[in-house]
Every structure is written in C-alpha cells, then in structure tokens.
C-alpha cells in the first residue's frame, strides 16, 4: 500500500468513526445525561465544554498517531520523533480546545438569553471571520512568525511536512497565496511558475470566492437545520451538544456532495488555464506536486470526488 492510500483510508476511517460516534451519542441520550451531570453555571459549563473537546481529542488520538507517526515511519527515511510530534499535537489540541470551548460557551449564552436565531447569526459571522483569519490561525498553530506583507501577494513559508502544499488565504479581495519554500528547490522554475499562476487564476476568475460562498451557505443551512431538528431551543449544555452532533452528521453529507462540485470547478479552471500555459506544462507541474505530496496515483474517480484532495 502506498503512503497516499494509507493516509486516505486513515482519514476515511476517522470520518466514519466520528459519524457513528455522533449517531450513537444521540441515540443513547448522552447530551441529556451530560447536561444533568454538569448542571447550570458559567464556570461549570466552560469547564464541561473544555473537558468534552479534550475527551474527543483523546478518542481521536489513535487516528492522529497513525497518520502522524506510524505511516511516516513506515514510508519515510526521516520522520518526526514521537516526543516532538506529541508536543505539536498537544499544542494544537490545547489551542483548539480553548477556542471551541469559548465559542460553545458564547453559543450557549446567546441561545439561552437571546434565542437560537441570534445563535445562527453568530455562526454566520464566525464563518466569514474564520475565512479572514485563516492565515493567522495557521501561523499560531504552527508557530510561524507573522508577516505584515500587503494583500494580493505571494509568500514562501517553511513547514517540516513535505506534504504541506500551502494554499490561498484571506477574505475575497484580500487574498495571499502561501507556497512551501521547499518548492523553490524541488520544482523547476517553469513548474513553480505554472502552479503560482494557477492559484492566482482561481482568485482572479472568482472561483475561490464562489467556493467560499457555497461552503458557507451549506454550513449555515446545516447549522440552521440542526437547530430546528434539536427543537429550536438551546437552554443548557445538552441542547447545544445535540445541535453540534446533528450538525456534524449533516456536515458529513456535505463532505460527500461539495467535493464533487469543487472537482468540476477545478477541471473547468484547468481547461481554461491550459490554453495559456499549454496542457503538457500543466500536467507536468500537477504530476510533480502529486508525487511530492505523496498522493495516491491510483485513486479512483469516486475517491477523488469525495475524499482525495485535488492537486
């Protein structure tokens, strides 16, 4: 089995496990039991939210170990030491636990005092805030120094993971393209130019903006449905946990649907882009990146349509 295939099936297994766990928690009434055990009170509620997400992180630790330690050691000559990996894992979990617990605490107070409509409004605001601050969050979680370059710029950034491929960050109109600095050494100048121009083409044609709008609309729709299915009442931790679990299940449906739409959009962009640089140059650059990031070259159309990232 190739490393790409191993990571793919690890990710699929993790997602499937989360969905089954969410369904089991709803069927067994875990949110209600958890709410009765915690009681009401701001301190108790914040501690309970923190503990809930810490437990989820511990439950998912085997999947993180397989993807972050076991697979690299099986396929790579140089892999991260367990102690170093665990330190990075702990820092990320700590950051996410504090962030999620704070957000859930805010959701609960707003849902309890103002009603679920205002809670949906907060969710909408957070969708766009996360898009605007995604680079800052990534730099904080990876200990990357912040650079105050102006928007609409390309930045070469360091990362120890050779599978890191960078991406487009920032709110539409204020984008920045992040590119692994290792690509300057591992790619030919022509391949690097093609890949940079391809990313900026996604920005300039409005493809990324439409993708963000579609994803945000889907998330807001799913969150609203989750609130409705949960009874449109959020007065305690159990109510909010029910909303969260329903939203997670609905988000899984988005995972099955939205990547297929994204795949068609990327192919349409590439057909247009190939006319400028040539089909052969584009295929060569994408093949190099596919190999560099250890993607599964033998992936099926269905795998690529749902789970496999597009180079």
């Amino acid at each position: 089995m190739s490393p790409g295939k191993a990571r793919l099936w690890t990710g699929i297994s993790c997602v499937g496990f989360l969905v089954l766990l969410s369904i089991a928690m709803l069927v067994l009434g875990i949110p209600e039991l958890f709410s009765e055990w915690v009681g009401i009170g701001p301190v108790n509620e914040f501690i309970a939210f923190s503990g809930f997400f810490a437990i989820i992180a511990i439950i998912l630790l085997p999947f993180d170990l397989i993807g972050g330690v076991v697979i690299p050691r099986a396929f790579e000559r140089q892999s991260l030491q367990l102690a170093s990996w665990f330190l990075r894992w702990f820092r990320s979990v700590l950051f996410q636990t504090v962030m999620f617990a704070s957000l859930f605490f805010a959701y609960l107070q707003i849902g309890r005092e103002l009603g679920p409509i205002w809670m949906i409004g907060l969710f909408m605001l957070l969708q766009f805030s996360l898009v605007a601050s995604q680079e800052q969050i990534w730099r904080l979680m990876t200990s990357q120094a912040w650079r105050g370059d102006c928007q609409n710029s390309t930045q070469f950034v360091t990362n120890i993971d050779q599978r890191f491929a960078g991406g487009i960050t920032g709110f539409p109109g204020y984008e920045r393209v992040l590119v692994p600095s290792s690509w300057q050494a591992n790619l030919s100048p022509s391949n690097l130019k093609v890949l940079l121009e391809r990313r900026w083409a996604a920005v300039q044609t409005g493809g990324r903006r439409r993708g963000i709008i579609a994803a945000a609309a889907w998330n807001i729709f799913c969150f609203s449905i989750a609130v409705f299915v949960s009874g449109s009442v959020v007065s305690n931790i159990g109510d909010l946990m029910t909303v969260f679990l329903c939203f997670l299940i609905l988000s899984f449906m988005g995972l099955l649907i939205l990547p297929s739409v994204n795949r068609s959009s990327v192919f349409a962009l590439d057909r247009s882009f190939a006319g400028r640089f040539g089909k052969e140059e584009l295929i060569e650059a994408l093949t190099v990146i596919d190999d560099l990031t250890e993607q599964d070259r033998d992936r099926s159309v269905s795998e690529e349509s749902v789970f496999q990232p597009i180079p």
Side-chain angles (χ1 to χ4, degrees), residues 127-250:
Q127 292 292 294
F128 298 107
S129 299
L130 288 173
V131 173
S133 60
Q134 59 187 156
E135 181 181 347
Q136 292 90 326
I137 294 174
W138 171 77
R139 288 185 181 276
L140 181 61
M141 294 184 65
T142 57
S143 299
Q144 293 276 344
W146 170 250
R147 293 181 59 183
D149 297 359
C150 63
Q151 65 269 11
N152 300 323
S153 61
T154 300
Q155 292 186 11
F156 289 92
V157 295
T158 58
N159 195 287
I160 62 172
D161 190 348
Q162 71 181 50
R163 292 166 297 278
F164 173 70
I168 306 170
T169 68
F171 204 74
Y174 300 90
E175 292 92 350
R176 284 199 280 200
V177 171
L178 303 185
V179 184
S181 56
S182 60
W183 284 13
Q184 293 174 294
N186 295 329
L187 299 179
S188 68
S190 60
N191 285 343
L192 182 59
K193 180 181 179 181
V194 168
L195 293 171
L196 291 179
E197 292 287 342
R198 181 175 181 254
R199 289 191 174 178
W200 279 115
V203 173
Q204 294 161 357
T205 59
R208 178 178 182 265
R209 181 179 65 253
R210 291 189 294 271
I212 290 175
I213 293 174
W218 176 268
N219 286 338
I220 294 169
F221 170 76
C222 289
F223 188 77
S224 302
I225 293 298
V227 172
F228 175 76
V229 170
S230 304
S232 299
V233 176
V234 178
S235 59
N236 55 50
I237 286 182
D239 294 336
L240 188 57
M241 284 182 61
T242 301
V243 172
F244 168 71
L245 295 173
C246 291
F247 174 70
L248 192 151
I249 295 171
L250 292 171

